[in-house]
Amino acid sequence: MNVNGIGSDRIEAMMAQLKAASTRPAGGVVPSVKVTPEPAVAKVDFADALKNSIAQVSEAQKNAGEQGKAFTMGDDRVSLSDVMVSMQKASIGFQATVQVRNKLVSAYHEIMNMQV
């Protein structure tokens, strides 16, 4: 799943880093972590990426609703298969957005429960 440049593998890597940071000893020596540089990628503001993703999901749901209404009203230009495909796309986009939100909330709770 790739949501505007934020893939599930990237989210999982961030979660692993957060979990590793939470298990470090408070006053002990922190082992060095070798970080491999990532290839140059255009910087994307997280808030903008999240806002754009939500806007795309909203637009997909709006289009699916409009197509469903047009089909129900008897519009010959809209086929049942088009309506079903657009509704499935909207549903999948919504489910992906909910999963990303759940991961973010989980990460937030883990950070908040870390002992300082």
Side-chain angles (χ1 to χ4, degrees):
M1 166 181 72
N2 190 347
V3 180
N4 280 349
I6 302 174
S8 62
D9 56 338
R10 180 94 174 182
I11 292 172
E12 292 297 327
M14 286 185 227
M15 292 294 295
Q17 288 177 348
L18 288 171
K19 286 179 183 177
S22 69
T23 59
R24 285 189 205 155
V29 177
V30 177
S32 64
V33 177
K34 186 174 184 178
V35 178
T36 57
E38 293 187 19
V41 178
K43 298 286 183 178
V44 177
D45 185 28
F46 179 76
D48 290 339
L50 189 60
K51 183 178 177 182
N52 291 339
S53 296
I54 292 171
Q56 286 178 352
V57 170
S58 177
E59 187 66 27
Q61 288 178 329
K62 180 180 155 194
N63 289 341
E66 288 173 355
Q67 281 187 345
K69 184 184 275 187
F71 181 77
T72 304
M73 299 298 269
D75 190 350
D76 292 336
R77 295 174 293 177
V78 180
S79 69
L80 178 61
S81 60
D82 291 340
V83 173
M84 295 304 292
V85 167
S86 67
M87 286 185 170
Q88 284 298 313
K89 284 182 181 180
S91 175
I92 290 170
F94 180 73
Q95 290 173 5
T97 302
V98 168
Q99 290 300 319
V100 169
R101 185 218 48 185
N102 291 344
K103 287 285 187 179
L104 291 172
V105 169
S106 175
Y108 174 78
H109 285 296
E110 285 187 34
I111 290 171
M112 294 305 295
N113 291 329
M114 283 184 195
Q115 293 187 6
V116 181

